[in-house]
């Protein structure tokens, strides 16, 4: 005779299984494995111990990593869709600053718990941007712990043509794409600053656009390039140090939106656009001879000089600019 306890036992077991949290393998399978491999360099994607890439002849691999930590890079409870976008965007921005074509990325996730809704929104934000640039997610790691998001991005650049920080020359013009300080204003708004028209600034802070096409167009034209992640003054200082040059920026021509201009009028805080981070525009230098070859929209904001240090020409007066970008551990 059939044991009467069989049925309830099976029933309760399946209940337990249903209630069991998803494992890391289910997370990878459900949220991060896409069947379609889009880039020709991807020989093997997610599923083995390593991914495999084939590097076409005449190219070098550009590799970068950026991490975002809860309560350091973003507020607790931040919109996961925006986090997925921004995490990838900041990495693609580094590739753009080297003049590299993005090809693939790896993703390391440390999650406090497996939250279906969070993972759905995060992966949507992530893949929407990945698909825009035909970037394959080829691997990663999934662990439990305080919310920490890391991407490693891989790109291709023609051999010897990467846009370095170390090759700006005195006399080069300094340019930047887009506008300055809107993301910084977005952060101020999140921290409570009342702005008449907050939407554009908030979008710039929440959803930065990596300047991939601009970076590629600068290949062979720019002498040096950096992406604006920590603030123009601090980021440009990296070019100046590594190129062993100085620079003078011209306040009157800085590309400032009306919202940023009214913030400055309101608060008197004119240095905000020079020091605030997260704009993810490109700042680059071009020799006067090559400047006519520029094909992208960019504003000339200053000039490289042989005298070390960074200066600002404001109201006809040249003053030293010794502002620093954000630094961890300081
Ligand atoms: P291993 O233990 O060999 O490191 P894992 O179990 O960590 O392998 O991962 C299995 C596969 O899933 C690997 O190919 C790995 O690259 C991939 N992977 C793990 N986590 C992620 C993730 N968050 N996104 C994309 N791929 C991932
Ligand atoms: Mg692993």
């Amino acid at each position: 005779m059939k044991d009467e306890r069989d049925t309830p036992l099976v029933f309760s077991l399946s209940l337990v299984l249903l209630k069991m949290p998803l494992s890391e393998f289910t997370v990878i399978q459900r949220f991060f494995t896409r069947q379609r491999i889009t880039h020709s360099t991807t020989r093997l994607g997610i599923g083995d111990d390593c991914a495999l890439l084939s590097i076409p002849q005449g190219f070098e691999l550009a590799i970068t990593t950026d991490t975002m930590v809860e309560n350091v890079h973003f507020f607790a409870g931040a919109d996961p869709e925006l986090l997925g976008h921004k995490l990838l965007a900041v990495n693609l921005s580094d590739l753009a600053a080297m003049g590299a074509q993005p090809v693939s990325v790896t993703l390391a996730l440390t999650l406090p718990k497996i939250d279906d809704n969070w993972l759905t929104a995060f992966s949507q934000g992530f893949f929407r941007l990945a698909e825009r640039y035909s970037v394959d997610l080829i691997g990663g790691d999934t662990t439990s712990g305080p919310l920490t998001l890391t991407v490693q991005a891989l790109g291709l650049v023609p051999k010897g043509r990467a846009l370095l920080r170390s090759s700006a020359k005195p006399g080069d013009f300094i340019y930047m794409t887009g506008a300055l300080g809107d993301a910084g204003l977005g952060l101020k708004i999140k921290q409570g600053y009342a702005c008449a028209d907050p939407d554009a600034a908030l979008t710039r802070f929440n959803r930065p656009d990596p300047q991939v096409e601009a970076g590629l167009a600068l290949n062979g034209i720019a002498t040096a390039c950096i992406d604006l992640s920590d603030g123009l003054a601090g980021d440009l200082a990296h070019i100046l140090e590594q190129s062993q040059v100085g620079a003078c920026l011209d306040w009157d021509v800085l590309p400032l939106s009306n919202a940023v201009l009214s913030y400055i009028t309101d608060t008197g805080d004119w240095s905000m656009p020079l020091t605030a981070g997260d704009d993810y525009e490109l700042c680059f230098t071009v020799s006067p001879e090559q400047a006519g070859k520029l094909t992208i929209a960019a504003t000339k904001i200053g000039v490289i000089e042989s005298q070390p240090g960074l200066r600002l020409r404001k109201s006809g007066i040249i003053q030293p600019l010794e502002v620093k970008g954000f630094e961890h551990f300081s």
Side-chain angles (χ1 to χ4, degrees), residues 24 49 140-143:
E24 66 191 82
D49 295 311
D141 202 17
T142 308
T143 53

Side-chain angles (χ1 to χ4, degrees), residues 24-25 27-28 32-33 45-51 105-109 137-142:
E24 66 191 82
F25 301 105
V27 169
I28 299 163
F32 298 106
T33 307
I46 293 175
D48 215 311
D49 295 311
C50 291
V105 292
T106 62
L107 172 66
L109 292 179
L137 176 61
I138 57 169
D141 202 17
T142 308

Side-chain angles (χ1 to χ4, degrees), residues 249-316:
L249 293 174
D250 193 347
W251 172 262
D252 294 328
V253 298
L254 290 180
L256 304 177
S257 68
N258 288 336
V260 168
L261 286 171
S262 14
Y263 166 83
I264 293 171
T265 311
D266 241 30
T267 61
D269 179 14
W270 60 267
S271 69
M272 184 280 280
L274 293 164
T275 54
D278 283 312
D279 278 324
Y280 295 102
E281 297 294 344
L282 295 182
C283 174
F284 57 95
T285 57
V286 182
S287 73
E289 300 78 49
Q290 295 280 335
K293 292 191 187 155
L294 272 180
T295 55
I296 57 164
T299 308
K300 187 175 146 195
I301 58 171
V303 64
I304 297 289
E305 299 173 338
S306 51
Q307 184 195 345
L310 179 56
R311 291 161 291 280
L312 179 70
R313 183 197 305 273
K314 188 168 183 289
S315 314

